[in-house]
Amino acid sequence: MIDICNISKSFGDVKALDKLTVQIPTASVFGLVGSNGSGKSTLLRILSGVYTPDKGKITIDDEDITDNPKVREKCCFVSDFPYFSNHATVENTAILYREMYPNWSDEKFKELSKAFRLKTKTKIITMSKGMQRQVAITLALSACPKYLFLDEIFDGLDPVVRQLVKKLLIGEIAENSMTVVIASHNLRELEDLCDHMGFLHCGGLLLEKELDSLKLELYRIQAAFSQPLPQEALEPLDIVDVKNTGNLYTLVVRGNINDINSYINSLNPVFVQALPLTLEEIFISEMEAAGYDIDHIIE
Amino acid sequence: MTSTTSSNKQCQGFCGMLKWNLRNLTSLSVVYSVILLVVLPFMLAISLLGNGEGAQVLYNEESITSIFKSNWLIVSIIVNVFVVVISANLFKSFHNRRSTDLVMSLPIKRSTLFLSNFITGLLVIIVPLFVVALISGLLCGDILVCLTYFIALIPPTLFAYAMYSFLAVCCGTVADTVISYVAINVTYPVLFSAIMNLVYNFSAGTADFCYNGLSNLLTNGDPFKHSLLSPSMGILVCSAETSMSDASMVPYCIYSIIFAAIMFVGAVILFKRRKNENVQMGFIYKLPRIIIIIISSLACGVYIGYTASGALSGDVKSGTVQLLWYVLFSVMGCIVSYLIITSIYNRGGSGILKSIPCLGASVVLSLIIYLLTATGMVSMNMWAPDIKTVKYVSVETSINNNYSDTINEFLGEDVSKDVSEDISNGSDESFYEYYDEYYDEYINNSTYYYRTVFDKKQHRFMSCYSRLLRLNNKEEIAAVNKLNDELIKEYNEKTPFLRYSNNFWYTMNTDYICVRYRYGDGSVESRYYSSDFFDTDTVIKYLDEICSGNYFKESKFIIQSCGNGTELNMSYNNMQAVDENKKIDVSDTEFANELIAAYNEDFASDQKVFEHFTDLDNADGILFIKPRHLDNITSDEIRRFGGGGMLVIPKDGYEKTKAVLNKYSKEIDGCSEVTAKNYK
C-alpha cells in the first residue's frame, strides 16, 4: 500500500502540493486527474523518487521511499516524456533495466516487444512519439514492478494500442497484484481502467474515492415543472450545479438516487429523468464546485 | 544478511549504471583514444620507421624521447579539452528533466549513482591515456619515463574532472556547467595572483614578488598556485614537469588530490540533496553561481585596474594618478565582466538588477584588496629596517638606465663579458661559441644582458648576466636607509594620500634600483625605487653618496650572479634535449658528489648560498665548470650546481674545490679545464 501523508512541495513561490494525504490500496488502479498544474506529475515524481517532498512522508509497504533503493526496486515510473539516450536501442536499454530491476523478465520483454511490434535493434530516438511510449511501457512492464507510476501514458497512442495497453495493465493487476497510479487528462481511458480516483486541484486533493461510488454519488437530473420553482424548493438537495431555462431544470446532485428521486417527485414535476455522469462530467462538476470552470477562467 | 544483500544490490546497480554510461560514451571515447594515439604512439612509430631520419627532419634532431616529451604537452591539451567534453556528455543526464526522470527513479542510491557516473568518466579519461603512455613507453624503449609522465598527469586531471563533476551537480544545465568551469579556470588564476600579492605584502622577509598579471603566472607560478583551483592550468604545468621526483611535484600532487577529494565529497553530499525540479534552470545551488560571478568580476577588475593604471600613468611621479586610473579601471572592469558573465548565465539581460549585490560585493572586495595590498596601509614600504637586524644590503639596478650607469662608474665594465671571454681565451678558443642576448625577465620586469657560452657540442657552459652591489657595513646600510628615508619622505610630501605600495613602484617601469635587505635569519626584504615615482636625479644623488662612501670604497667587490637556468632552459630547448639524453655514468655522479663535498668543506658553511647564488659572501673569484648534463642527477645538492652552470668562488678556501674540478675535468666528456682567476 502507498501511504502519502501530509506532503507538500513548492517550486519557488508556487505550491505544487499542499499537505496532500492519500492512501492507495494494493492491486488497485488509482487515477490522478486534475487541472493543469494541480500537481499530478509532481506527485508521481515524488512517488518515484525523482523529487523529494519539502514536508511530509511517503511510505510504500510501510517503508520510507526517500533514497531507498529497496522500495524503488518495486516501483517503475514512465514519465510523460520518456527519455532515451541518443544511441540507445530497445535491446540495450533493456540491459539497463535488467541490471536495475531484480524482477526483470526477459520472457515478458520478448512478449511485449512482439505485441507492440517493436524493432528492438533500432535506435529509439528515430522512432515516433507513440512508438517511444510503447518502448517505455514495454520496459516498465518487463521490470515486473509491484507499483507502476504512469504519467499521461495514453498520449500519442492510437486507439488500438490504447486498448492493448489497458488490457496489459489489467492483466498485470489481475495476475501479479500490481498497483498502478496513473495521471492523465484522458478521462475516457481512465474510466475504463481505474477503480480509484483522486481529483487534484491547486496542490490539494479535492476528493478521493472508488470510481463506482463516485459514479453512484452524482447524478444529472433533468426535470420540467408546470411553473418555476421557488428558490428554496431545491435547498434540501446537495446540488453541485443547477441550470434552468424557464420551467426546465438541469441539476447535478450528489446523493442517493432513490432519495433524490423521491424528493424531486414530491415537487410534482411534469417530467423527470435521472442520468449517471461520465467521469469527465463528474470531473467538470467537481472542478466547477471548486471554482475552476470556464466562466471563472475567462473572468 | 540484509546488509549484505543490500550492498550486493547496490553493487549490481553501480555496475549496471557503469556499463550503461560506458555504452553511451563509446563513440566519444573512441574519438578521444584515436586522437591520443595519433598524437603520440603514431608519431613515435613514424619516427622509428624512418630509422630516426624522419624524426630528425621533423623534430630538429631530437631523440625519440624528446618527441614523446614535446608531444606530451599536446596530450595534456587534449586531456584538458576532453575532460570537459567527456564530463559534459556524462553528466548531461543530470541536466535534463527527461533523463532525470529516468535515472533518478532507478532503484539505486543517489550516492551510488553519482559514484558510478564519476568512475565511468575517470575510466574513459584515464584508461586511453594509460594505454597511450604504455605504447609510447614501448616505442621509446623507456616505459618508466613515459609512465612517470602519465602518473604525473593523473592528479591534476583528477582534480579537473572532480571540479567539473562538482559544478555539474551545482548547475542545472550543461551550458552553465561548462561556462562556470571555464570561468573558474580563467579568472581564478588572475585573482589568486592578486591574493598572493596580498600574502607577500603581509609576510615579512619573504622574497620580493610583484604582480604582473598572467605573464607572471605563466612564467613563475609554482605548481601549488596552478593546482590550487585552476585545474586546467595544472594539467598543462604538470605535463611540462620532467619527473615525479622533482620536489615541486610532491605538493603539486598532494594538493591536487586533496582538492579533488574535497570536490568529490562535496559533489556527493550536494547530489544527495539535489532538487531535481530545478534541472534546466541554470543553477540548482545558487552559491557557486554567486561565487563565480564575484571571482570573475573581481579578478577582471583587479587585473584590468593594475594593467590599465600602469599603461596609462606614463611618466608620472605621483602615485595618485595611477591610483585614480586603477580605481576607475578596476571598477569598470568589475562592472563589464559582471555584466558579461551575468548575461551569459541569464541568457540575456534579465535578472541583472536582481543580482546587483554580487557586483557590489566584487567592487567592495576589489577595493579592499587594493587597500590591503597597494596603499601601504599594511605593507612595509614606509620604513627602513633596523640596521642591527640587517646582515647586509644589496643594491641592484635594471640594466642600461640612469641608475646602472651610476653604479657602473664604480663597478667598471661589464664583467659578464670579461669573464666569459677570459674563460674562452684562457682555454681552447675553437672549443667555444657565444650567444649574446638581451633577455626580458618577467618576474622582475627588467632586461638583463646575457652572455652564454657553449661548446661545439652545444653544451651550455655558463651564462653571465646582471650585476650586484653589496654592502655589509653598518654605515653603508645606514646610507641605504637614508636613501630610503629621504626618498619616501619626498614621495610622501608629493603624495600625501593614496600611495602605492613598494610593488607598484617598479612594476610599471624597468628603470629602477632595487635594495635588498638580508636579515640575520636569512630572510630577504626588497624595496624598489622606480623612476615612475622618484626623481631620477634625487635617486642618483643618494646612490652617489652610498657608492662614494669610504666603507664602500674599501670593501667594493664584484661578483657575477648566475641564474637558476630556468629561463635559458626554455630558450635553448634543443640543446637541452641533447644533454638530457646523455647517459650519466658513475664517474659523473662521483664527480658531482665529490665536488659538493669539497665545496661545502671549502666555504659553503652558509647553505643558503646555494639558494641565492647572488648572495655569496666575499666572492672575488670565479671558477667555472660544465655541469649541464649533471642536471639529470636528481639529488637536490647536485641540482644546485646543474642549474647554474657556474660557480662563484670566494677568494679564500677554494683549493679543495679546485682540486676536485681539476681531477675530474679531463674524465668527463666535454668538460673543459678548470680556470680560476681573480676579478677583484
Side-chain angles (χ1 to χ4, degrees):
Chain A
M1 189 176 77
I2 301 171
D3 189 4
I4 299 166
C5 182
N6 211 23
I7 62 161
S8 298
K9 181 75 186 173
S10 297
F11 302 138
D13 300 333
V14 180
K15 272 201 167 181
L17 292 174
D18 188 16
K19 296 174 186 168
L20 183 81
T21 298
V22 64
Q23 290 187 334
I24 300 170
T26 305
S28 65
V29 183
F30 191 91
L32 273 175
V33 294
S35 49
N36 290 329
S38 59
K40 302 183 296 293
S41 298
T42 303
L43 179 59
L44 289 184
R45 284 189 172 88
I46 290 174
L47 284 171
S48 53
V50 179
Y51 295 171
T52 43
D54 299 334
K55 285 177 190 169
K57 190 180 175 187
I58 298 179
T59 57
I60 292 180
D61 293 342
D62 298 325
E63 284 195 81
D64 194 340
I65 65 163
T66 313
D67 205 12
N68 187 345
K70 198 177 159 192
V71 174
R72 290 231 289 274
E73 277 174 5
K74 302 179 200 169
C75 309
C76 200
F77 174 47
V78 179
S79 71
D80 44 355
F81 296 103
Y83 170 80
F84 301 102
S85 65
N86 293 345
H87 307 288
T89 62
V90 181
E91 217 169 56
N92 60 34
T93 310
I95 297 172
L96 173 69
Y97 277 71
R98 186 184 295 126
E99 300 268 2
M100 292 290 166
Y101 292 96
N103 297 328
W104 171 269
S105 163
D106 279 324
E107 210 172 290
K108 191 172 278 179
F109 174 67
K110 281 177 193 164
E111 276 174 28
L112 293 171
S113 300
K114 200 175 167 189
F116 285 118
R117 296 179 185 173
L118 297 177
K119 291 175 183 169
T120 54
K121 291 185 178 169
T122 308
K123 278 186 183 176
I124 301 171
I125 56 159
T126 63
M127 295 177 176
S128 70
K129 182 186 168 189
M131 288 304 289
Q132 287 190 23
R133 203 168 287 273
Q134 288 172 46
V135 171
I137 294 165
T138 302
L139 292 168
L141 290 176
S142 303
C144 300
K146 198 175 167 193
Y147 297 92
L148 184 61
F149 308 125
L150 305 169
D151 197 1
E152 299 294 357
I153 193 68
F154 299 111
D155 273 11
L157 298 182
D158 68 55
V160 176
V161 176
R162 284 184 199 187
Q163 291 306 315
L164 177 60
V165 170
K166 281 192 277 187
K167 189 182 163 190
L168 289 169
L169 288 175
I170 290 164
E172 284 296 325
I173 294 157
E175 284 176 30
N176 304 319
S177 302
M178 183 193 276
T179 307
V180 180
V181 182
I182 180 166
S184 178
H185 291 294
N186 195 330
L187 302 182
R188 176 69 200 87
E189 305 296 350
L190 289 187
E191 200 169 358
D192 291 346
L193 196 61
C194 297
D195 45 31
H196 283 72
M197 295 301 300
F199 285 14
L200 285 173
H201 183 58
C202 297
L205 194 64
L206 279 184
L207 69 92
E208 178 266 315
K209 277 201 172 141
E210 279 189 39
L211 184 62
D212 290 341
S213 66
L214 198 65
K215 281 185 163 184
L216 291 172
E217 269 187 5
L218 273 178
Y219 295 91
R220 176 181 286 109
I221 310 292
Q222 286 183 321
F225 298 92
S226 52
Q227 53 189 345
L229 293 173
Q231 205 166 355
E232 65 278 8
L234 295 173
E235 272 179 6
L237 294 173
D238 184 2
I239 292 174
V240 176
D241 189 30
V242 59
K243 283 172 189 153
N244 69 307
T245 314
N247 298 340
L248 181 66
Y249 285 77
T250 304
L251 312 169
V252 176
V253 186
R254 197 191 304 273
N256 184 290
I257 188 64
N258 295 330
D259 297 343
I260 295 166
N261 273 337
S262 65
Y263 181 75
I264 294 287
N265 285 331
S266 70
L267 298 173
N268 299 317
V270 178
F271 161 80
V272 64
Q273 185 182 20
L275 300 166
L277 267 65
T278 63
L279 184 59
E280 191 161 323
E281 286 168 326
I282 296 170
F283 175 73
I284 291 168
S285 300
E286 293 292 347
M287 286 295 138
E288 278 178 359
Y292 185 74
D293 58 77
I294 298 169
D295 294 339
H296 278 85
I297 292 168
I298 290 170
E299 277 169 16
Chain B
M1 184 70 181
T2 312
S3 153
T4 313
T5 313
S6 172
S7 64
N8 282 343
K9 280 180 181 174
Q10 280 307 296
C11 188
Q12 196 181 347
F14 172 84
C15 294
M17 277 311 293
L18 192 76
K19 285 185 213 164
W20 169 253
N21 286 326
L22 283 173
R23 209 174 292 124
N24 287 337
L25 287 177
T26 305
S27 43
L28 192 60
S29 54
V30 166
V31 171
Y32 170 61
S33 306
V34 167
I35 292 174
L36 287 181
L37 286 167
V38 168
V39 168
L40 256 181
F42 182 73
M43 296 304 284
L44 293 175
I46 284 181
S47 308
L48 286 173
L49 286 172
N51 200 21
E53 288 171 13
Q56 284 172 9
V57 173
L58 277 169
Y59 293 94
N60 196 19
E61 300 186 2
E62 284 182 81
S63 68
I64 192 88
T65 312
S66 303
I67 298 170
F68 170 81
K69 288 176 181 174
S70 56
N71 281 25
W72 191 253
L73 183 63
I74 304 170
V75 165
S76 73
I77 294 167
I78 294 165
V79 169
N80 239 328
V81 171
F82 272 85
V83 160
V84 178
V85 174
I86 290 169
S87 311
N89 269 276
L90 185 65
F91 291 106
K92 71 179 178 187
S93 57
F94 301 159
H95 295 141
N96 178 295
R97 285 192 183 168
R98 290 171 64 183
S99 57
T100 306
D101 282 347
L102 172 69
V103 294
M104 301 308 285
S105 65
L106 291 170
I108 178 170
K109 268 185 173 287
R110 283 192 174 194
S111 48
T112 314
L113 175 65
F114 181 82
L115 184 67
S116 67
N117 273 47
F118 190 85
I119 298 291
T120 309
L122 217 50
L123 288 175
V124 171
I125 294 165
I126 301 294
V127 171
L129 200 60
F130 172 73
V131 172
V132 162
L134 196 65
I135 297 172
S136 303
L138 290 169
L139 290 170
C140 292
D142 197 345
I143 294 177
L144 198 63
V145 168
C146 295
L147 287 182
T148 305
Y149 271 75
F150 163 74
I151 292 166
L153 203 58
I154 298 299
T157 306
L158 181 66
F159 178 31
Y161 176 63
M163 171 168 270
Y164 188 96
S165 312
F166 179 81
L167 290 171
V169 171
C170 294
C171 294
T173 66
V174 176
D176 284 298
T177 314
V178 174
I179 290 164
S180 304
Y181 181 81
V182 172
I184 284 203
N185 274 296
V186 171
T187 57
Y188 175 75
V190 177
L191 183 62
F192 191 77
S193 181
I195 292 170
M196 287 300 284
N197 192 23
L198 174 80
V199 171
Y200 275 100
N201 269 277
F202 270 124
S203 315
T206 54
D208 63 280
F209 176 91
C210 84
Y211 178 81
N212 195 21
L214 288 175
S215 60
N216 185 26
L217 272 169
L218 294 172
T219 56
N220 193 37
D222 57 51
F224 170 71
K225 254 193 270 183
H226 295 305
S227 65
L228 184 64
L229 267 181
S230 177
S232 281
M233 197 173 276
I235 291 174
L236 295 179
V237 171
C238 177
S239 69
E241 294 294 333
T242 52
S243 168
M244 280 295 290
S245 58
D246 189 325
S248 64
M249 288 300 291
V250 177
Y252 188 102
C253 292
I254 292 171
Y255 289 127
S256 292
I257 289 167
I258 287 173
F259 281 103
I262 291 170
M263 289 285 157
F264 174 75
V265 172
V268 171
I269 292 168
L270 293 180
F271 189 70
K272 286 176 83 170
R273 298 166 182 212
R274 196 171 190 254
K275 292 195 166 187
N276 292 311
E277 58 269 28
N278 292 336
V279 164
Q280 292 184 237
M281 284 173 63
F283 275 78
I284 287 171
Y285 295 101
K286 304 289 181 194
L287 190 60
R289 175 194 153 107
I290 293 168
I291 291 171
I292 289 165
I293 291 178
I294 290 176
I295 285 180
S296 305
S297 308
L298 191 60
C300 291
V302 171
Y303 183 68
I304 291 170
Y306 280 0
T307 309
S309 63
L312 294 170
S313 302
D315 194 26
V316 294
K317 294 287 187 285
S318 162
T320 309
V321 175
Q322 277 190 321
L323 171 72
L324 290 174
W325 281 124
Y326 171 80
V327 171
L328 178 67
F329 276 90
S330 62
V331 171
M332 273 173 57
C334 262
I335 292 172
V336 169
S337 54
Y338 161 80
L339 288 175
I340 291 170
I341 194 157
T342 312
S343 304
I344 292 170
Y345 275 143
N346 292 356
R347 312 287 190 274
S350 64
I352 282 182
L353 282 176
K354 247 187 180 177
S355 59
I356 212 83
C358 294
L359 172 64
S362 298
V363 173
V364 169
L365 280 172
S366 168
L367 293 174
I368 288 172
I369 285 180
Y370 173 77
L371 285 170
L372 291 174
T373 58
T375 59
M377 262 175 70
V378 292
S379 61
M380 301 164 287
N381 60 338
M382 296 301 169
W383 51 273
D386 183 357
I387 296 168
K388 288 175 191 167
T389 62
V390 177
K391 191 177 177 188
Y392 58 81
V393 177
S394 64
V395 180
E396 295 173 36
T397 71
S398 51
I399 205 159
N400 290 340
N401 59 46
N402 292 325
Y403 303 147
S404 65
D405 289 345
T406 307
I407 287 196
N408 278 347
E409 288 174 18
F410 297 92
L411 297 184
E413 293 301 310
D414 189 321
V415 180
S416 300
K417 281 183 183 173
D418 294 347
V419 171
S420 49
E421 279 166 10
D422 282 345
I423 289 164
S424 55
N425 289 336
S427 301
D428 180 2
E429 282 184 28
S430 62
F431 197 69
Y432 298 102
E433 287 177 2
Y434 298 137
Y435 285 85
D436 290 340
E437 63 175 342
Y438 284 93
Y439 180 75
D440 287 323
E441 203 207 7
Y442 291 105
I443 302 149
N444 286 326
N445 204 12
S446 58
T447 305
Y448 289 100
Y449 169 79
Y450 278 86
R451 166 156 287 200
T452 311
V453 184
F454 294 96
D455 68 6
K456 292 296 181 190
K457 291 182 181 177
Q458 299 288 288
H459 294 115
R460 180 164 66 85
F461 273 52
M462 57 170 289
S463 59
C464 309
Y465 63 91
S466 192
R467 69 212 57 230
L468 181 79
L469 177 65
R470 194 166 54 183
L471 314 165
N472 54 8
N473 181 279
K474 299 297 177 194
E475 286 191 28
E476 292 165 346
I477 296 168
V480 175
N481 278 2
K482 188 183 171 193
L483 175 142
N484 178 79
D485 292 342
E486 293 297 326
L487 288 177
I488 296 290
K489 189 180 164 194
E490 195 175 300
Y491 175 74
N492 287 348
E493 281 169 3
K494 266 197 284 186
T495 316
F497 58 93
L498 302 175
R499 296 167 195 139
Y500 270 85
S501 77
N502 53 346
N503 283 333
F504 272 97
W505 289 356
Y506 76 102
T507 54
M508 310 305 171
N509 195 329
T510 58
D511 206 3
Y512 67 86
I513 62 167
C514 169
V515 173
R516 291 185 204 274
Y517 294 93
R518 177 103 180 200
Y519 294 101
D521 64 359
S523 58
V524 178
E525 189 192 330
S526 303
R527 200 63 60 73
Y528 292 82
Y529 304 94
S530 161
S531 60
D532 273 347
F533 298 96
F534 303 106
D535 185 70
T536 306
D537 293 337
T538 313
V539 175
I540 289 175
K541 190 185 98 183
Y542 288 112
L543 207 54
D544 275 344
E545 255 182 53
I546 295 169
C547 295
S548 57
N550 286 332
Y551 286 100
F552 175 76
K553 280 179 183 170
E554 285 173 13
S555 61
K556 187 180 78 170
F557 60 89
I558 304 160
I559 66 165
Q560 285 297 301
S561 60
C562 50
N564 61 14
T566 308
E567 297 83 6
L568 286 169
N569 282 350
M570 295 192 296
S571 304
Y572 299 97
N573 196 37
N574 288 347
M575 291 140 197
Q576 270 187 52
V578 174
D579 267 344
E580 283 169 8
N581 290 310
K582 184 183 182 303
K583 297 289 181 192
I584 304 295
D585 57 35
V586 178
S587 65
D588 289 344
T589 313
E590 283 175 0
F591 158 65
N593 285 331
E594 272 194 53
L595 181 60
I596 295 290
Y599 188 82
N600 283 335
E601 200 174 324
D602 272 347
F603 51 82
S605 56
D606 179 3
Q607 288 297 308
K608 289 185 189 302
V609 297
F610 287 114
E611 292 164 15
H612 303 283
F613 284 174
T614 53
D615 292 331
L616 286 172
D617 284 324
N618 302 317
D620 64 353
I622 292 178
L623 285 173
F624 82 96
I625 58 168
K626 187 203 156 210
R628 184 70 190 91
H629 58 275
L630 297 179
D631 279 0
N632 281 357
I633 299 173
T634 54
S635 156
D636 284 346
E637 287 291 305
I638 297 169
R639 281 170 66 82
R640 285 171 184 158
F641 285 93
M646 183 172 77
L647 288 177
V648 183
I649 306 296
K651 61 185 174 186
D652 300 320
Y654 61 88
E655 290 305 319
K656 286 188 179 175
T657 308
K658 187 179 169 185
V660 172
L661 290 167
N662 279 325
K663 175 184 166 190
Y664 282 96
S665 61
K666 287 171 187 166
E667 293 177 20
I668 296 171
D669 178 35
C671 188
S672 70
E673 282 192 26
V674 174
T675 301
K677 186 175 178 180
N678 287 338
Y679 286 89
K680 190 169 181 180

